[in-house]
Each structure stands twice: as structure tokens, then as C-alpha cells.
């Protein structure tokens, strides 16, 4: 990997575009949901305003060192995940810090933020935070299993661990996408994807009606703002990986926006149709339906 | 003083004995301080605009007025389009709507919740009960004037005020915040002694620290 200083402003530009796109995307989806309920819904820039408001609050309190570091880890996980994956295929400008073998690193980064969050929320001492964290980690562990299997399957199929190479091998028509060359792996990964998007039926971690918002119960002001920032970056970073691995990547920003939106909508559609799972149900569901698909996809390759 | 709040010796699971004083060990009772706007005027006005357009209400209904908040969340009145949201925890809320009468027992919880909110924070009194006691003016168990216990930014009069009145109240509160006059938290810090005196005069079983942010 050759490092050049120009990559730093390029990376910041990527971050800037992704944050704004993410905030608008979330507002847009909230607006669609509101319109279905015959409401006007939030303003399109409401998420931006909320973010500014939270950064501009005058006081904040702490529960200890890990309480500070929790949101930092979380945001670090989101930004790291985004920057170590090539955002646009074939673009010198937006390949960021990706290098060969980055697939394994990306797998690590997916989990990194959740672990930091667990430590931080645990230190806040709120019982809802502890319940939320234990639910979140157990659900996420099983949700990651099929994804990891799918990643192994894909890397076996293409005989490489570099995301850039995987994307380049999928070019030349959509029939070359992993979606059509290795459908079992994509199916397993998409089921795992539902589990990591914090939308129903897998949103018992936050469970607004039961353990009010779960892990971030004690977080406020700029801590909360950092976590909101991560909540916009992380899903998109995760979708970028999916897009690169399974859906042929994107060679320009319009294609990127479209594909990210469509992949995001998969979890939204599933979410509006199915009711919430309890943790033991979701774990069982992942182990029964998603993991065998992942194993089959490896055998199939 | 409740028994679980008294100083006592506890034996841990491994046989190790230690002393616990809940009021000092579990809470910090540093008094609140006045928070000055630290930026230039332009930035402060920009922040005030953001604060006014993003009102997060603490989901805590104190009296019968809480029933008027439900229609605001649903399609008929839809307060979300004005940047108003409900948050389940006081840490993340900026606006406390005291919805109707306030019994002495609830007042204690209200004070604790208010002190846990982060500055700048606003209080809105909903209904006549928060102004002069309303129909509960001679009740032995409710407070008459909310203003004696918390710094109130705005009252919405009526018994009950309709959801439209609340929406109008939110718009009025936005104007107050944008004008830089929503400084209730600083008012509370400045006149802390006076507020505490009033609160303790009404709440007889005071079993919490003076300030428990």
C-alpha cells in the first residue's frame, strides 16, 4: 500500500459526502414512513439540526473513562470501516486507505464499535444499558456468523482477500455479480445484514417501548451526537462492503447512492412487514436459517 | 430518611466488608453553575436556532394534561414536522412539559428529572394547574405555582388546553429560544438557594442529595 498525503483530504471528502448522504437518507426514509401513516413527518434536514443541537449543548457529565471512550470507539469503528474499504471502484480519489487483504480488517471493524459501546454503556451504570448491551452482543455475534461464512465463501470463490480485486472480478455486466455467481452466499449475507441494521424484527436491542432506547440511555450532548454521527456512517459503511462484495460495487457517486439506497431499503421493507423478535428467537432464527445457508455456500464453491 | 439510604456496612460476596454511604457514594451533589454562551454572537444565535428547531421533550406525563400530548405524536396533529420529538430519558431531553397538576410526590421526581437534563433546558407549564393551582387550588396534595419550584419559560393556559394550543406554545417557545431568552437553566443555578428552600418546604420526606445532576 502506497501512502500519499493527498489521500487525507480525499478521505475527509468521502466522510463529508457519506455523512450528509446518510443524514438525508435517514430523514428521507423517516419521511416515507410518515407519509404511509398520513403524516407530514420530519423536516428533510431535521437530522442535521438535531446533530448541531446536540453538539451545541452547554453541559455534559461523565460516568468514568470508558464512558468517554465508548462513543469514540463507536465512531472510530464506523469511520475506520468506511475508510478501509474502497468507496468507489476504480477511483483514485475515493479508494481511501484500502489495501490487499482488507476484507479481514473490515470484518474486525464491524465488531469493533459494538464492543466499545458495550464497555462505555456498561460503565454508565444504567440497568437498561446493561440489558441492551447483553442483548446486542449476543444477537450480533450470531448475526455475524452467516456474514463471516459468506465472506469466506466469496474469498474462496475469487481466491483473494482484497475487496478491490473482488469488485474488479465482478465487472462486465450484472450477471457477473456475486449475486448471480454465488447466490447462496449472498442470501446468507443478506439475512445477516437484516440483523445488523437495528431495524425490526431485530431491534430488540433498542426496544423503544420496553427498555427505553437501551445502551445509549445515559448518553447525552456531544456523546450522543458522536453516536448519532456513527449511526449515519456505520450502516452506509456496512452497505458499501455488501455492495462491493455482492453487488458489483459502484464506479460513480450516482450509482453508489442508488445501490446504497436500494440495499438499505431491503432492511426497511423487511422491518415494516415483520414484528420484533425476542433475543432468543432471533438467535435461533439466525442459527436455523442463515448459518446453514452460509455453510452450503462454502460447500458449493 | 429511607433505610436503604442510610450509611451502613455491607458484606461482599467474597466475605470482604466495606462501608457504603448511598447519598455521597451514588450521587454527586455539586451545585449547578451558570453556563455562559462561550462563543461569538453569530455562533450563539446559530446554536439557538438549532436548539429551537430541535425540541426534544422528556416523555414524562405528570397530570391529566399528558393525554393531550398523545395526539401530537399521531397523524392528526403530527408535532414531528415542527422538529418536536419525545425522548425516553431525561439525559437527552431539552424540554420538560409539566402536563397539568403536580402532586407533591410527583414534584420530587420532576425535580430529579429536571436536574438530570442537560443545559440549556426549558420548562413549559401546561394547563391552569401549573399557574395558580387551577381546579386543584385548595388541594392538600398538589402544588399551586410551578414557578416557585422550577424556572418556567412558558405557560399554556386552559383546562385542558387543546393540542393546537400546545403547538402554538411550541412555536412561541421557539421564538423565545431564538431571541436568546431561554436561559432557565442559568436562572435555576443563579437562584439555586431560593428554589431549594421552596422545594424543601413542600417536600417533607427529602431523601436525596440537594442536586443530583
Amino acid at each position: 500500500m502506497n501512502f500519499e498525503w493527498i489521500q487525507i483530504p480525499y478521505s475527509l471528502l468521502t466522510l463529508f459526502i457519506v455523512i450528509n448522504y446518510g443524514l438525508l437518507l435517514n430523514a428521507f426514509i423517516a419521511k416515507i414512513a410518515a407519509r404511509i401513516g398520513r403524516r407530514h413527518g420530519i423536516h428533510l434536514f431535521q437530522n442535521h439540526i438535531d446533530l448541531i443541537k446536540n453538539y451545541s449543548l452547554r453541559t455534559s457529565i461523565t460516568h468514568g473513562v470508558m464512558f468517554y471512550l465508548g462513543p469514540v470507539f463507536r465512531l472510530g469503528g464506523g469511520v475506520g470501516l468506511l475508510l478501509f474499504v474502497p468507496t468507489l471502484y476504480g477511483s483514485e480519489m475515493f479508494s481511501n486507505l484500502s489495501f490487499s487483504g482488507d476484507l479481514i480488517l473490515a470484518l474486525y471493524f464491524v465488531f469493533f464499535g459494538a464492543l466499545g459501546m458495550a464497555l462505555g454503556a456498561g460503565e454508565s451504570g444504567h440497568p437498561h444499558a446493561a440489558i441492551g448491551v447483553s442483548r446486542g452482543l449476543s444477537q450480533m455475534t450470531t448475526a455475524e456468523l452467516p456474514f463471516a461464512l459468506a465472506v469466506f465463501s466469496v474469498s474462496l470463490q475469487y481466491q483473494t482477500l482484497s475487496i478491490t480485486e473482488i469488485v474488479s472480478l465482478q465487472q462486465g455486466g450484472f450477471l457477473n455479480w456475486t449475486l448471480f455467481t454465488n447466490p447462496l452466499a449472498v442470501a446468507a449475507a443478506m439475512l445477516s445484514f437484516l440483523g445488523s441494521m437495528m431495524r425490526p424484527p431485530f431491534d430488540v436491542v433498542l426496544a423503544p417501548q420496553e427498555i427505553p432506547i437501551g445502551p445509549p440511555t445515559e448518553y447525552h450532548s456531544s456523546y450522543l451526537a458522536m453516536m448519532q454521527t456513527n449511526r449515519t456512517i456505520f450502516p452506509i459503511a456496512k452497505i458499501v462492503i455488501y455492495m462491493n462484495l455482492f453487488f458489483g460495487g459502484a464506479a460513480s457517486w450516482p450509482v453508489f447512492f442508488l445501490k446504497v439506497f436500494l440495499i438499505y431499503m431491503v432492511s426497511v421493507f423487511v422491518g415494516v412487514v415483520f414484528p420484533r423478535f425476542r433475543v432468543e428467537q432471533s438467535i435461533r432464527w439466525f442459527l436455523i436459517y442463515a448459518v446453514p445457508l452460509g455453510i452450503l455456500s462454502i460447500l458449493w464453491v | 430518611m429511607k433505610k436503604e439510604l442510610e450509611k451502613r456496612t455491607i458484606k461482599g460476596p467474597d466475605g470482604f466488608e466495606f462501608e457504603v454511604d448511598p447519598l455521597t457514594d451514588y450521587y454527586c451533589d455539586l451545585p449547578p453553575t451558570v453556563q455562559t454562551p462561550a462563543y461569538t454572537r453569530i455562533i450563539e444565535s446559530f446554536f439557538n436556532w438549532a436548539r429551537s428547531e430541535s425540541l426534544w421533550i422528556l416523555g414524562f406525563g405528570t397530570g391529566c394534561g399528558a393525554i393531550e400530548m398523545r395526539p401530537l405524536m399521531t397523524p392528526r396533529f403530527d408535532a414531528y414536522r415542527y422538529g418536536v420529538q419525545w425522548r425516553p430519558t431525561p439525559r437527552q431531553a431539552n424540554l420538560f412539559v409539566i402536563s397539568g397538576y403536580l402532586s407533591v410526590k410527583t414534584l420530587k421526581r420532576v425535580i430529579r428529572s429536571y436536574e438530570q437534563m442537560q443545559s440549556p433546558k426549558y420548562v413549559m407549564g401546561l394547563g391552569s394547574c401549573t399557574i395558580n393551582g387551577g381546579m386543584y387550588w385548595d388541594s392538600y396534595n398538589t402544588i399551586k405555582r410551578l414557578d416557585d419550584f422550577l424556572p418556567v419559560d412558558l405557560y399554556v393556559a386552559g383546562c385542558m388546553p387543546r393540542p393546537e394550543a400546545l403547538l402554538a406554545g411550541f412555536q412561541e417557545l421557539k421564538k423565545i429560544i431564538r431571541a436568546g431568552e431561554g436561559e432557565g437553566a442559568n436562572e435555576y443555578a443563579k437562584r439555586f438557594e431560593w428554589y431549594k428552600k421552596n422545594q424543601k418546604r413542600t417536600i417533607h420526606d427529602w431523601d436525596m442529595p440537594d442536586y443530583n445532576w
Side-chain angles (χ1 to χ4, degrees):
Chain A
M1 171 185 158
N2 302 317
F3 178 77
E4 287 185 33
W5 285 103
I6 192 69
Q7 283 176 319
I8 290 176
Y10 283 165
S11 306
L12 291 178
L13 183 63
T14 312
L15 262 181
F16 178 76
I17 296 174
V18 165
I19 287 176
N20 281 298
Y21 175 64
L23 289 169
L24 284 174
L25 180 69
N26 287 342
F28 189 61
I29 289 170
K31 206 137 175 87
I32 293 175
R35 284 296 162 93
I36 292 169
R38 292 198 175 184
R39 291 189 290 122
H40 282 276
I42 60 173
H43 195 273
L44 207 51
F45 285 96
Q46 187 67 47
N47 289 336
H48 287 81
I49 300 173
D50 287 347
L51 205 57
I52 295 169
K53 197 266 317 246
N54 273 333
Y55 276 120
S56 74
L57 286 184
R58 289 183 192 148
T59 56
S60 60
I61 58 152
T62 177
H63 292 279
V65 178
M66 272 323 291
F67 189 76
Y68 270 113
L69 289 181
V72 177
F73 274 34
R74 197 107 172 92
L75 190 58
V79 172
L81 186 60
L82 182 68
L83 291 189
F84 279 112
V85 172
T87 317
L88 292 190
Y89 167 70
S91 158
E92 191 69 20
M93 222 169 145
F94 298 107
S95 287
N96 298 328
L97 308 171
S98 60
F99 58 96
S100 60
D102 47 4
L103 192 48
I104 299 296
L105 187 75
L107 275 183
Y108 268 106
F109 262 113
V110 170
F111 226 104
F112 184 69
L115 289 178
M117 186 62 221
L119 292 171
E123 186 152 35
S124 77
H126 201 284
H128 290 159
I131 297 173
V133 162
S134 62
R135 286 177 177 184
L137 285 183
S138 42
Q139 179 175 299
M140 207 174 150
T141 312
T142 41
E144 284 301 305
L145 258 179
F147 179 56
L149 290 170
V151 165
F152 294 151
S153 164
V154 167
S155 55
L156 276 175
Q157 181 191 352
Y158 296 114
Q159 294 293 321
T160 174
L161 282 174
S162 159
I163 297 180
T164 316
E165 276 181 46
I166 293 179
V167 181
S168 66
L169 287 169
Q170 293 180 60
Q171 299 305 307
F174 65 90
L175 283 175
N176 289 349
W177 294 0
T178 319
L179 177 63
F180 295 101
T181 55
N182 191 354
L184 284 175
V186 178
M190 284 316 282
L191 294 183
S192 143
F193 172 72
L194 299 177
S196 63
M197 291 303 281
M198 291 292 161
R199 286 188 171 273
F202 302 105
D203 64 339
V204 80
V205 179
L206 298 174
Q209 289 86 6
E210 185 198 355
I211 44 164
I213 68 172
T217 307
E218 278 289 303
Y219 280 101
H220 53 268
S221 315
S222 29
Y223 304 117
L224 184 67
M226 281 178 81
M227 286 163 58
Q228 281 179 306
T229 317
N230 178 63
R231 273 295 279 276
T232 56
I233 296 175
F234 184 77
I236 295 190
K238 182 133 193 179
I239 292 174
V240 172
I241 295 186
Y242 274 76
M243 185 178 76
N244 283 334
L245 288 184
F246 308 123
F247 300 99
S252 66
W253 282 112
V255 179
F256 173 90
F257 292 149
L258 185 70
K259 280 191 180 173
V260 169
F261 176 72
L262 290 177
I263 299 175
Y264 200 112
M265 285 311 273
V266 171
S267 74
V268 176
F269 280 134
V270 173
V272 293
V273 175
F274 292 101
R276 184 182 293 153
F277 274 148
R278 288 202 305 270
V279 169
E280 73 270 21
Q281 287 171 327
S282 68
I283 289 176
R284 208 165 286 150
W285 189 85
F286 280 122
L287 292 181
I288 290 175
Y289 294 103
V291 172
L293 270 179
I295 295 172
L296 274 181
S297 76
I298 289 186
L299 294 178
W300 195 54
V301 169
Chain B
M1 179 79 80
K2 283 180 193 155
K3 207 181 161 213
E4 66 261 29
L5 289 172
E6 282 167 6
K7 202 172 173 180
R8 61 190 188 274
T9 317
I10 291 179
K11 197 171 180 182
D14 49 354
F16 177 71
E17 284 195 355
F18 57 97
E19 259 198 357
V20 168
D21 185 4
L23 281 188
T24 55
D25 289 359
Y26 296 167
Y27 305 98
C28 173
D29 56 357
L30 275 175
T33 49
V34 175
Q35 303 287 328
T36 47
Y39 305 98
T40 55
R41 198 178 158 73
I42 296 174
I43 294 179
E44 184 65 18
S45 331
F46 174 61
F47 280 174
N48 274 335
W49 168 79
R51 287 165 191 153
S52 75
E53 289 299 325
S54 159
L55 291 173
W56 288 8
I57 303 178
L58 178 59
F60 181 5
T62 57
C64 38
I67 202 82
E68 301 296 326
M69 299 228 262
R70 295 331 175 242
L72 288 176
M73 305 177 191
T74 44
R76 176 123 187 230
F77 295 103
D78 186 27
Y80 291 96
R81 64 196 148 137
Y82 299 116
V84 178
Q85 288 184 43
W86 281 261
R87 301 301 288 190
T89 146
R91 293 282 188 224
Q92 298 170 4
N94 311 111
L95 172 59
F96 203 153
V97 179
I98 306 294
S99 45
Y101 69 85
L102 199 51
S103 69
V104 175
K105 187 177 169 184
T106 318
L107 175 65
K108 201 156 123 185
R109 277 76 186 167
V110 163
I111 291 166
R112 287 194 66 168
S113 306
Y114 178 75
E115 288 174 351
Q116 285 181 25
M117 286 159 62
Q118 299 303 315
S119 158
K121 48 194 170 185
Y122 319 103
V123 176
M124 210 161 127
L126 174 62
S128 311
C129 321
T130 54
I131 301 171
N132 56 10
M135 63 183 275
Y136 297 95
W137 65 276
D138 60 349
S139 164
Y140 64 97
N141 200 28
T142 58
I143 59 157
K144 310 275 181 294
R145 284 190 56 188
L146 179 61
D147 216 8
D148 288 343
F149 305 94
L150 293 175
V152 183
D153 291 284
L154 185 88
Y155 288 106
V156 179
C159 182
M160 295 299 306
R162 281 188 50 83
E164 290 98 325
L166 253 173
L167 285 179
F170 290 143
Q171 298 304 324
E172 208 56 42
L173 181 66
K174 284 182 183 180
K175 283 182 203 157
I176 293 174
I177 297 171
R178 250 176 262 155
E181 286 159 9
E183 297 289 348
N186 284 344
E187 186 68 17
Y188 192 69
K190 262 184 225 159
R191 303 175 63 198
F192 189 59
E193 300 294 322
W194 184 78
Y195 280 116
K196 277 297 145 186
K197 205 181 78 207
N198 286 342
Q199 290 167 2
K200 283 184 177 172
R201 200 179 57 219
T202 310
I203 301 171
H204 297 300
D205 58 335
W206 187 276
D207 52 0
M208 52 188 188
D210 270 1
Y211 186 65
N212 43 81
W213 41 251

